[in-house]
Amino acid sequence: MIIWLTFNSAVICSPSNSVNALPQAKDPALLYEILTAFYRYQNVRSIDLIICPCNYYSLNLSTDALTTYLMAQDFSVHVWFGRDYLKDAPAAPIYGPSNSFRTDNATRRPLKFQMKALSFKVGILLANFNSECGLNVLRWSAASEHNYFTTNRFWLLVTQDSGDVAALEDADIFIPPDSEVRILAVLPFKSFILTDIFKVASFKAAKQLPISRNFSHSRQMIGDLQKFGSAISYRENLENITFNTGLVIAFPDMFTNIEDLSLRHIDTISKVNNRLTLELANKLNMHFNTHQMDNYGWHQPNGSFDGLMGRFQRYELDFGQLAIFMRLDRIALCDFIAETYRIRAGIMFRQPSLSAVANIFAMPFENDVWIALVILIVFTILVFILELMFSPYKHNMDYWDCAVFVWGAMCQQGFYLNVTNRSCRIVIFTTFVANLFLFTSFSANIVALLQSPSEAIKSLHDLTQSPLEIGVQDTVYNKIYFNESTDPVTNLLYHKKIASKGENIYIRPMVGMEKVRTGLFAYQVELQAGYQIISDTFNEPEKCGLKELEAFQLPIIAIPTRKNFPYKELFRRQLRWQREIGLMNREERKWFPQKPKCEGGVGGFISVGITECRYALVMFTFGMLLSVLILCAELIIKHSLLHI
């Protein structure tokens, strides 16, 4: 149990000028029990007592006695003094908006009362709020730079006069729909009234919803609270108020309409999330004043932000009609109320053909087949030599002609000599038949290999070492995330294939995907945009062999609001509801193209170019050079013999 005391100076109504000397109630136990039961029902374990001079006096409450009682009930208690003023108003942030709390040094004065952003629930107790001190506390708490009226702060305003509620009509006291503010009216004859209060907007009248009337026991109050349920569920009608919103169109020159499905790969993030915010507006009965931009907003050298985030930084927008990446530098400027979709970006490419990365002429058969071919050649040559040695007929050939014959037969060439005996002709015939089947099998394998994609690129490292050129979609976040990546492989890829090419490497999706279709090219693109272009422009065989690698993983996108936005929880509940009932899933299927499937196989017409024939050309060149060298050797030898 912890108690913090924050006092400055005091003007106390008792003769002893001490907060502890407030008159004791004759029987305060019932009110103590009501307060304890209320906060326990809200699962509160920490309570802030705001003390203003005389505000507990008329209720016959003792601050010391109440604090001691709450601590005995296992509550931690923090005591604030409502007249603990600041000497000067807090300075406005350099790049943010000016403070909305208006100071007049009389009824409106800045306070040291400051609550931290907490994830756990806290109760706040203010008695007899209709006083100069109490109203000043409420104005300070309602200021947009503070927004202490949130769903995890349970305010209980205790009064003896139900007419005090009229004081809350002050335009500077905005009790938003996200708030949890209750008024506990203490009536004669030990009875109480508990009322829920909020405002749709600061310029709207306060709305009161009765929770429990004329109850005299905590059990009755708890039962009525259970029937009342969640307060925010009663606040779904915002009465046509208008919010300033932002919408980013990154490609305005290609943009046609926010509902245009024919170009759903253009500004997909804005289009799909705009549908969610329109459903949100219909559900909550509100309107948008939309501001269009072409930049999501990134950190500038002087500390400010441009684009959408710059407007959030200056409090010019209330929330976004789209979702943006959740980044640490943006969390300081805005709040994210609900994540929507996962955007994936990757490097798309077609695996290079097998002939581009390997010698397809050496691949058709397994090693044991090549061994069998060598044995066949050697065996055939030996049989032919034996025929020449023991044949009863003379042949116009020597032993080297046997090797030339077998090699020529393997290459589907005829024999240049006429063999007279039948045994040699049988050898020749069977050799040609055997090589006919081998050549047919070899040719069929070559045709299949010409049409087969390789699996040469399986990782970013393979892509870095490959001959593929790389392009990048012309978006700001691609430049930023490549620079911010700490992965060594991604850094190597960036510096070797991207940074060295300059700004020309950043191109539009249509141009980049066309290069992927027609050549050895890889393109970093939002995968949903790439899928749409593939579906529209690639034929079925071209869809096969497509691969994608993620150079970096993008953070999830979420809908942003300005800091201390007083409708944040209300909007979050509605967006969660859209996810639960399937509205988000419907929009995702509608706007996000699915990955195209390879249904046409690898069939179709395949052109054979220099790349596929390069090994045959190398062999031809090698043979030509070898023949020239042998010719030169023959001429030298002949010339030498003539001079002997």
Side-chain angles (χ1 to χ4, degrees):
M1 297 179 291
I2 304 172
I3 178 170
W4 292 275
L5 297 177
T6 307
F7 291 152
N8 184 14
S9 60
V11 179
I12 305 302
C13 299
S14 64
S16 62
N17 267 353
S18 171
V19 174
N20 297 333
L22 290 176
Q24 299 292 317
K26 294 182 180 180
D27 186 15
L30 179 58
L31 181 55
Y32 289 177
E33 180 189 354
I34 295 295
L35 297 176
T36 303
F38 174 80
Y39 285 123
R40 278 184 173 167
Y41 175 78
Q42 307 294 354
N43 294 319
V44 166
R45 285 293 175 262
S46 177
I47 297 178
D48 286 8
L49 295 180
I50 303 177
I51 307 299
C52 284
C54 308
N55 67 345
Y56 286 81
Y57 181 78
S58 60
L59 291 169
N60 288 332
L61 288 177
S62 166
T63 306
D64 280 352
L66 177 58
T67 302
T68 303
Y69 180 84
L70 292 174
M71 293 177 66
Q73 300 298 319
D74 291 331
F75 290 102
S76 61
V77 181
H78 189 181
V79 180
W80 295 92
F81 187 54
R83 287 192 174 179
D84 197 1
Y85 300 125
L86 291 171
K87 292 182 180 180
D88 300 309
I94 298 177
Y95 298 106
S98 58
N99 293 330
S100 63
F101 182 78
R102 297 185 295 111
T103 303
D104 59 11
N105 293 323
T107 59
R108 294 175 173 84
R109 298 184 63 181
L111 295 170
K112 292 184 178 179
F113 174 53
Q114 183 178 7
M115 303 188 69
K116 296 182 179 180
L118 302 174
S119 58
F120 56 85
K121 296 180 179 180
V122 62
I124 305 171
L125 180 61
L126 176 61
N128 285 334
F129 58 88
N130 189 15
S131 63
E132 179 183 315
C133 171
L135 292 176
N136 186 63
V137 170
L138 294 176
R139 295 188 189 103
W140 177 259
S141 301
S144 61
E145 62 267 25
H146 300 144
N147 189 25
Y148 292 156
F149 297 117
T150 57
T151 52
N152 61 341
R153 297 186 175 105
F154 294 86
W155 287 74
L156 193 58
L157 309 181
V158 185
T159 181
Q160 285 183 309
D161 186 0
S162 300
D164 288 345
V165 178
L168 299 178
E169 298 292 346
D170 189 333
D172 290 332
I173 303 177
F174 177 35
I175 304 175
D178 276 1
S179 64
E180 291 283 350
V181 180
R182 308 285 189 272
I183 297 176
L184 180 64
V186 182
L187 304 179
F189 308 109
K190 297 182 179 181
S191 61
F192 303 86
I193 296 177
L194 186 64
T195 306
D196 176 67
I197 188 170
F198 73 98
K199 291 182 179 180
V200 171
S202 58
F203 56 88
K204 296 275 189 178
K207 295 183 178 295
Q208 301 179 52
L209 297 174
I211 299 176
S212 184
R213 300 189 183 204
N214 297 323
F215 65 93
S216 57
H217 198 280
S218 60
R219 288 195 299 271
Q220 181 182 350
M221 179 190 67
I222 296 301
D224 291 336
L225 281 170
Q226 291 174 343
K227 293 178 182 178
F228 186 76
S230 174
I232 204 170
S233 61
Y234 296 93
R235 304 171 183 182
E236 295 182 352
N237 183 5
L238 297 184
E239 300 179 358
N240 291 316
I241 62 175
T242 301
F243 294 98
N244 291 322
T245 62
L247 184 65
V248 175
I249 304 300
F251 301 98
D253 56 326
M254 303 179 66
F255 183 80
T256 54
N257 185 281
I258 197 69
E259 299 288 344
D260 188 1
L261 280 170
S262 64
L263 294 176
R264 56 180 177 172
H265 60 287
I266 303 298
D267 289 304
T268 308
I269 296 177
S270 296
K271 290 178 178 179
V272 65
N273 288 284
N274 177 69
R275 290 300 313 164
L276 303 181
T277 57
L278 292 180
E279 293 292 342
L280 181 69
N282 292 333
K283 180 70 174 178
L284 297 180
N285 190 20
M286 61 182 182
H287 298 289
F288 298 148
N289 179 23
T290 305
H291 299 260
Q292 180 179 325
M293 288 146 283
D294 60 1
N295 185 5
Y296 290 95
W298 303 91
H299 194 268
Q300 302 300 304
N302 63 357
S304 65
F305 279 71
D306 60 355
L308 178 72
M309 296 311 302
R311 296 208 173 192
F312 276 119
Q313 189 178 38
R314 298 185 297 270
Y315 277 47
E316 295 175 1
L317 300 178
D318 295 313
F319 73 99
Q321 255 182 276
L322 77 169
I324 60 176
F325 294 130
M326 297 178 66
R327 290 172 49 90
L328 289 178
D329 56 352
R330 291 175 173 176
I331 291 177
L333 305 180
C334 66
D335 292 326
F336 293 95
I337 57 175
E339 68 280 1
T340 55
Y341 303 106
R342 170 70 71 181
I343 300 299
R344 294 178 59 226
I347 301 177
M348 301 190 71
F349 59 94
R350 296 177 65 192
Q351 283 281 13
S353 63
L354 197 59
S355 58
V357 297
N359 182 4
I360 60 173
F361 298 102
M363 296 178 62
F365 304 129
E366 298 291 339
N367 292 332
D368 53 354
V369 177
W370 291 113
I371 294 173
L373 288 176
V374 173
I375 295 174
L376 176 63
I377 292 173
V378 173
F379 179 76
T380 305
I381 292 174
L382 291 176
V383 171
F384 217 151
I385 292 175
L386 291 174
E387 287 286 345
L388 292 179
M389 294 176 59
F390 299 104
S391 175
Y393 302 98
K394 289 185 178 182
H395 302 287
N396 190 20
M397 58 186 297
D398 57 19
Y399 299 122
W400 282 108
D401 289 327
C402 297
V404 173
F405 157 70
V406 175
W407 184 256
M410 296 293 295
C411 297
Q412 295 292 296
Q413 296 181 13
F415 194 39
Y416 52 84
L417 293 176
N418 184 23
V419 182
T420 57
N421 61 325
R422 292 180 177 81
S423 59
C424 284
R425 291 183 177 182
I426 292 174
V427 172
I428 293 173
F429 175 76
T430 54
T431 302
F432 276 120
V433 171
N435 284 288
L436 173 65
F437 291 114
L438 288 172
F439 183 79
T440 303
S441 301
F442 181 82
S443 300
N445 273 272
I446 292 296
V447 172
L449 292 174
L450 282 171
Q451 303 178 75
S452 299
S454 68
E455 292 295 332
I457 303 177
K458 298 181 180 179
S459 64
L460 288 177
H461 183 269
D462 295 336
L463 181 62
T464 305
Q465 305 302 325
S466 72
L468 270 67
E469 295 183 8
I470 291 185
V472 180
Q473 185 178 359
D474 189 14
T475 58
V476 179
Y477 73 78
N478 273 325
K479 303 176 183 179
I480 290 177
Y481 280 106
F482 268 117
N483 279 318
E484 292 181 346
S485 176
T486 58
D487 182 63
V489 179
T490 302
N491 286 334
L492 177 62
L493 174 68
Y494 175 71
H495 291 293
K496 183 176 181 179
K497 287 185 172 286
I498 298 177
S500 60
K501 302 296 180 61
E503 291 296 320
N504 293 330
I505 203 167
Y506 297 98
I507 54 181
R508 291 291 180 89
M510 288 296 297
V511 178
M513 294 307 298
E514 179 62 20
K515 289 187 175 183
V516 172
R517 189 182 72 85
T518 58
L520 295 176
F521 193 81
Y523 185 54
Q524 164 76 14
V525 64
E526 288 179 11
L527 296 183
Q528 288 86 354
Y531 294 159
Q532 181 65 46
I533 297 173
I534 290 171
S535 299
D536 294 342
T537 61
F538 283 46
N539 58 40
E540 290 302 321
E542 289 171 343
K543 296 176 183 178
C544 303
L546 278 171
K547 299 293 181 182
E548 56 197 45
L549 296 172
E550 290 192 42
F552 47 79
Q553 189 172 18
L554 294 174
I556 198 168
I557 61 174
I559 293 179
T561 68
R562 65 172 172 82
K563 280 293 184 182
N564 298 322
F565 186 53
Y567 302 86
K568 180 170 60 177
E569 187 61 31
L570 181 63
F571 285 16
R572 177 185 288 119
R573 283 170 54 100
Q574 293 302 321
L575 290 168
R576 298 286 186 189
W577 173 78
Q578 290 187 26
R579 179 180 296 280
E580 291 173 0
I581 67 171
L583 286 176
M584 285 190 183
N585 184 58
R586 182 192 69 178
E587 296 300 327
E588 181 177 13
R589 292 178 177 274
K590 176 180 177 182
W591 289 100
F592 287 155
Q594 300 301 308
K595 183 176 182 179
K597 296 181 180 179
C598 174
E599 297 178 348
V602 294
F605 178 76
I606 301 296
S607 298
V608 178
I610 298 296
T611 300
E612 290 76 13
C613 299
R614 66 186 185 279
Y615 288 103
L617 295 176
V618 168
M619 183 173 292
F620 174 76
T621 303
F622 177 77
M624 293 293 293
L625 292 175
L626 181 61
S627 65
V628 171
L629 291 175
I630 293 175
L631 175 62
C632 293
E634 289 176 342
L635 292 174
I636 292 172
I637 293 172
K638 182 178 180 181
H639 186 268
S640 300
L641 292 175
L642 291 175
H643 287 80
I644 292 178

